[in-house]
Amino acid sequence: NNGDIDTNKWWPWQVYFDTDGSNSTGFKIESNIGAEYMLQGSAVFKYTGSGTDWSWQYVIAVDNGVSGPIAEFQIPRFVLGLPDKLRVSFKARNVAFTGSYAPSGVDTYPKQFKPIPLHTELLHSQSVIWGEPGGELPMTLAQDTARGATELVTTEAHSLLDNQLITYLSAAGEYYTAQVANVDGNTISLIKGLEASISQGQNLWNFYGDDSHANQFGYYAVADFVMRKAGFVRLNSGKHVLMGDSWLDRPANDLPRYLSERLNEATFVNKSIGGFTSADVLANFDSNVANQNPDFVWVIVGINDATSEVPVADYLSNMQKIIAKIRSVGAQPIVLDSQVAQLFSGSDAKTQLTHSYAQALSDVDTTVQYELTEPVVPPEPDAISNPKTIVVDANLNDWDELQSFGQDANDIDEVGAKADLLEAWMAHDADSFYIAYKNDGDIDPVMWWPWQVFLDTDNKQGTGYQIGNGVGANYLIQGGYIFSYIGNGFDWAWQYQEAADYQLSGGIAELKFPRAAINNPDSISTVLKARNGMFTGDFSASGVDSFPDLDQGHFNYSFSDTSVEEAPK
């Protein structure tokens, strides 16, 4: 962040996650992202609304570290539904600090970007046509013609081709383009109506000067088009660097001179080089552009990419990196989408490629896209099975010779902490199952709920409470009680089932439940938790003992063995 992050008023910093890649689901944070989850401050929320209403359900608080303007988070992947790809949009909202809900107080990252639509609007997606004479062909309008008109009458007949582009000087003194439908004597019929009125006596010109470039008046139309789209007042200041191919490099077009005349409060530096592709612009950006300390960077490039048959994905990737570089030096991007490539040997493949370039750039995502690798899953432990009837007396003698879930490190050292699991066991007979665990220090019988055992009885992570470690818990043993899960996966929604037959003694807990209380499963997956917030007043993750540790898998227990060893009487 630019400035210290206020963790006492942290909600204005938001990260939106689109986990299914669909714009039609989730919260419509942008036109091209529907967010299923949001990180707001230090908590993750799941979207429960209809798409536009602000309806979020709390999921989990996540580990975080904040120092001045820097924030870091660790979000368990299962909390977001284990997606393999993410689209992410960041928002920072200043209404909490300014009291104003104006859009100007909302910072979005990545910034929304829209290219100047040279390809589809000014050029009408039309390349030079085979047989155009090139050069500059002046034509004079015989009568005033209003905006929206589809016919131009000239003082004499001219040979123009169907679909050919022409340039005209409007009554307001700006250059525009139009596309010819057909010509009948002195009358030029247009495919679309005029964008601006033209006065009698004003000139028209052909647009293309040769088979790849506009003529001088065509370039004037390019310049005026950009000024109309980007805003004359906005552009009429600061230092502008032009970077691209021969559309900006050709001395004959004299574009920098025209821009300097029209935008006389701005300065222009031309760093374009004929033949450049998008990759060349990117590679030369630091040496040719960044050291100029620009306020604006103009980019026109694409026709050489098409000639070299650069794939659309590569072109788009280069353009996105160029835009990012422009912003990284504190400048504003004035990026025109691709010119239209001419036909080659009767093939329109390169023309179609430039169409695809323009479409890709116009559809550029306003999100960070991130691809996750397959989760690295810890080796699945073999299932433990301890068929034995246990005498519940808080004495672990019955558990001798039985296999435990292993030992957990003494890993809780917060002042005042009481809950720190050291070892755990499970056993069963025909009717009951038994749990025992050992704590580092006495278990508090008055405040016993912080010791928890989560049971996944259908062995499906996607169902039940999403506790992590590959476990979706259908049941919870909390203190001396068992509860069944009735929530949606993330809310703390449990229904009381049954009380245990139990005994506590110092750091030992021993519990017995009917197997029917957990619907008589054949096997279970389990994770144990011990939470110290109630003892220390600090509810952060550092006070939670997970057994096994986070991201280290879970324990498996099997009820399949029926040869039950009876406990001594």
Side-chain angles (χ1 to χ4, degrees), residues 93-112:
R93 306 179 186 274
N94 282 285
V95 60
F97 310 114
T98 66
S100 171
Y101 286 89
S104 59
V106 180
D107 185 26
T108 299
Y109 177 83
K111 300 289 187 190
Q112 189 157 8

Side-chain angles (χ1 to χ4, degrees), residues 75-397:
I75 302 175
R77 289 170 63 169
F78 77 87
V79 168
L80 304 180
L82 294 171
D84 56 5
K85 293 181 181 179
L86 294 171
R87 293 195 298 164
V88 186
S89 179
F90 299 76
K91 294 280 186 182
R93 306 179 186 274
N94 282 285
V95 60
F97 310 114
T98 66
S100 171
Y101 286 89
S104 59
V106 180
D107 185 26
T108 299
Y109 177 83
K111 300 289 187 190
Q112 189 157 8
F113 171 76
K114 291 296 181 186
I116 305 295
L118 171 79
H119 189 100
T120 54
E121 293 191 18
L122 187 76
L123 303 184
H124 301 274
S125 301
Q126 181 61 57
S127 66
V128 66
I129 298 174
W130 181 258
E132 281 192 44
E136 295 171 7
L137 173 64
M139 299 168 277
T140 304
L141 198 66
Q143 60 191 36
D144 290 348
T145 307
R147 179 176 181 271
T150 56
E151 287 189 348
L152 301 173
V153 179
T154 56
T155 55
E156 52 189 42
H158 297 278
S159 298
L160 299 174
L161 303 178
D162 293 355
N163 299 314
Q164 181 178 341
L165 289 183
I166 60 173
T167 303
Y168 63 91
L169 182 62
S170 74
E174 294 183 10
Y175 290 88
Y176 291 80
T177 62
Q179 189 173 16
V180 175
N182 56 71
V183 177
D184 183 8
N186 291 23
T187 301
I188 304 171
S189 297
L190 305 176
I191 292 177
K192 294 180 181 178
L194 293 173
E195 293 182 72
S197 60
I198 314 176
S199 300
Q200 180 182 357
Q202 292 283 18
N203 277 355
L204 319 172
W205 299 266
N206 56 323
F207 179 86
Y208 284 107
D210 61 30
D211 61 356
S212 299
H213 305 90
N215 59 30
Q216 177 175 305
F217 296 100
Y219 284 118
Y220 293 168
V222 171
D224 282 348
F225 178 70
V226 174
M227 284 184 271
R228 287 193 295 272
K229 289 294 183 180
F232 180 87
V233 174
R234 173 192 172 202
L235 296 178
N236 195 22
S237 65
K239 186 176 184 180
H240 297 239
V241 175
L242 310 183
M243 187 65 171
D245 56 27
S246 56
W247 271 55
L248 292 173
D249 180 48
R250 288 168 69 84
N253 71 42
D254 209 11
L255 188 56
R257 178 197 60 78
Y258 182 76
L259 288 169
S260 296
E261 290 178 358
R262 295 279 280 120
L263 301 167
N264 55 20
E265 298 296 325
T267 58
F268 291 86
V269 177
N270 194 355
K271 291 291 182 176
S272 301
I273 297 178
F276 258 21
T277 65
S278 58
D280 295 324
V281 172
L282 178 61
N284 287 271
F285 185 91
D286 292 341
S287 59
N288 286 6
V289 178
N291 60 7
Q292 295 290 325
N293 297 317
D295 298 294
F296 297 89
V297 178
W298 296 48
V299 179
I300 303 179
V301 68
I303 200 165
N304 296 307
D305 292 76
T307 303
S308 303
E309 299 183 352
V310 173
V312 175
D314 293 350
Y315 171 81
L316 180 58
S317 176
N318 291 335
M319 296 302 290
Q320 289 177 299
K321 291 172 183 175
I322 291 167
I323 294 164
K325 277 187 170 289
I326 293 171
R327 286 174 168 158
S328 74
V329 299
Q332 298 182 50
I334 307 296
V335 178
L336 286 72
D337 58 15
S338 173
Q339 312 97 315
V340 184
Q342 69 273 36
L343 297 178
F344 284 83
S345 302
S347 169
D348 70 347
K350 292 178 173 60
T351 308
Q352 293 300 323
L353 194 54
T354 55
H355 293 343
S356 298
Y357 289 165
Q359 185 64 49
L361 196 58
S362 69
D363 292 340
V364 66
D365 215 344
T366 54
T367 63
V368 175
Q369 300 194 49
Y370 191 84
E371 186 165 343
L372 295 94
T373 59
E374 285 294 321
V376 179
V377 180
E380 188 76 9
D382 293 335
I384 294 172
S385 187
N386 291 320
K388 183 176 182 178
T389 299
I390 300 294
V391 176
V392 179
D393 55 6
N395 186 318
L396 295 180
N397 290 339

Side-chain angles (χ1 to χ4, degrees), residues 419 444 447-452 478-479 529-532 534-535:
D444 187 341
M447 187 68 67
W448 190 11
W449 70 260
W451 285 266
Q452 301 168 341
Q478 184 168 250
K529 298 278 186 181
R531 306 178 187 273
N532 283 286
M534 290 301 296
F535 307 126

Side-chain angles (χ1 to χ4, degrees), residues 52-74:
T52 56
D53 55 329
W54 189 258
S55 181
W56 299 89
Q57 181 175 56
Y58 171 82
V59 175
I60 191 174
V62 299
D63 284 354
N64 65 86
V66 179
S67 178
I70 305 299
E72 268 186 325
F73 306 87
Q74 180 181 3

Side-chain angles (χ1 to χ4, degrees), residues 40 294 363 445 476 482 484 544:
Q40 182 171 253
D363 292 340
L476 164 67
I482 193 165
S484 61
V544 180

